[in-house]
Amino acid sequence: MQNLSDIISTVEFNCSGELLATGDKGGRVVIFQREQESKNRLLSRGEYNVYSTFQSHEPEFDYLKSLEIEEKINKIRWLPQQNAAHFLLSANDKTIKLWKISERDKRAEGYNLKDEDGRLRDQFRITTLRVPVLMPMDLMVEASPRRIFANAHTYHINSISVNSDYETYLSADDLRINLWHLEITDRSFNIVDIKPANMEELTEVITAAECHPHQCNVFVYSSSKGTIRLCDMRAAALCDRHSKFFEEPEDPSSRSFFSEIISSISDVKFSHSGRYMMTRDYLSVKVWDLNMENRPVETYQVHEYLRSKLCSLYENDCIFDKFECCWNGSDSAIMTGSYNNFFRMFDRNTRRDITLEASRENSKPRAMLKPRKVCTGGKRKKDEISVDSLDFNKKILHTAWHPKENVIAVAATNNLYIFQDKIN
C-alpha cells in the first residue's frame, strides 16, 4: 500500500534544467541534480540524483476556523540563479516560503577562543594568536527558509508565479490574486478580487494564474467557467477589469449535464516566447494567440474517448481532477497527463501526437517507450488497451519539460519518472 504522504503534488525544473524539484503531500521538497557527464559514462548523459531533501511545510491548525491546514506542497517555483546559491518558492494551501539551497564544502578551523569540538577555551591559557583557516570537508547541501509569506490568503492557494522583473511574484487562491515583493513578507497587494458581496451569488472561482514571461505588468488567470482573463497592472491597481477576455463559444449540439464541469480550466501556461498561452481543461489542451480572444488557434484532444464515460467519472470524482500542461523549451511541442499513467505529447508543427506510459513494468533504464493506443469499441488489436480497462487511480497530473533539452519529468502518483531523447 502506498504511503499517501509520498504522493508527488508538484514538479518543476529550474531555469537551467540542472535541478529538478518535487513537492509531495507530506510537505517535503526533494531536489534532484543532474550529474555532470564524464568521458567514460557517456551512456548516462547526465542522470538526475537526489541533491537535497527538506521539510518545507508542517501541518497546522486554524483555531479560529477549526480547520486543519494540510502540509501538502501545491506549487514550487524557482527564482533565476543570481549567485552560487539557489532559491525557490514553495506553497501549501495558506503559506508561501522562500528557501535558499546552498553548498558548503569548507569549514573554519583554528579559532582562538574555542577548541576544535566547539568548547570554549580557558582565556588565561591563550598565549598566541591564531589565524583561523578554511579546511575542506564533505559536501553539505543546506536548505534554509529565508522568508515566510503568510496570512494573505483566506482560501486555498492554487498558483504562484515569479514575475519577469524577478523582484515580485503573484499568488492566487480561489477568489483573490495577491502581488508580493520578494523582500517584503508583512504585506502584499491584492490585485484581483472576484469575491461577491453575497457568497450565495458565487458563480466561478480562479483556477490558475501566471505572470507573462517578458512583460512584468501583464498576467493571466483562468476560471472554472472555462474563460481566461488577461490583465495589465499599468491600467489600475486593482485589476478587476481585464484587458482581454479569452473564451471559446460553446457548441450547443454537444451541450450536456457535464459541460460546465469539463470546461473548467485546470492550468494556464504562457509560451516561452510570450506570444501564446496554453490552457488545459478536462478533455483537451488549447493554444491561444494573445492577439485573438474569440477562439484558440489550436485544440488537441487529450482523451476524447472518455466523453462517453463522464457519468462514471463524475461518480468517482475523477471529473474534478486537475491536470497540468507544459511547453517544451522551443514552444514547438506540448505535454499533459492522462489516466492509466498515460501522458500525451503533441507536436505543434507536424500535428502528430503520441501517448506514452510511465510505469515500472515498461520503464527499465535505457528502454525505449512504446506508443500506447486506447481502443474505444469494436475489435481490440493486440497492442491496444480497452477504454474499460483503464485504471483511473493511476493518473499523471504533474509534468515538467527541461527548458533547453528533450528531457521530461513525469509524476505518476508517488513515483517520479525522467525520460530523455534516445541517444543515437
Side-chain angles (χ1 to χ4, degrees), residues 164-175:
S164 59
D165 60 11
Y166 306 146
E167 286 190 347
T168 55
Y169 74 93
L170 61 78
S171 59
D173 66 24
D174 300 328
L175 297 178

Side-chain angles (χ1 to χ4, degrees), residues 15-29:
C15 306
S16 67
E18 292 304 298
L19 297 178
L20 171 68
T22 65
D24 65 23
K25 276 199 163 180
R28 290 180 297 267
V29 171

Side-chain angles (χ1 to χ4, degrees), residues 108 153 322 371:
H153 285 280
K322 291 176 169 47

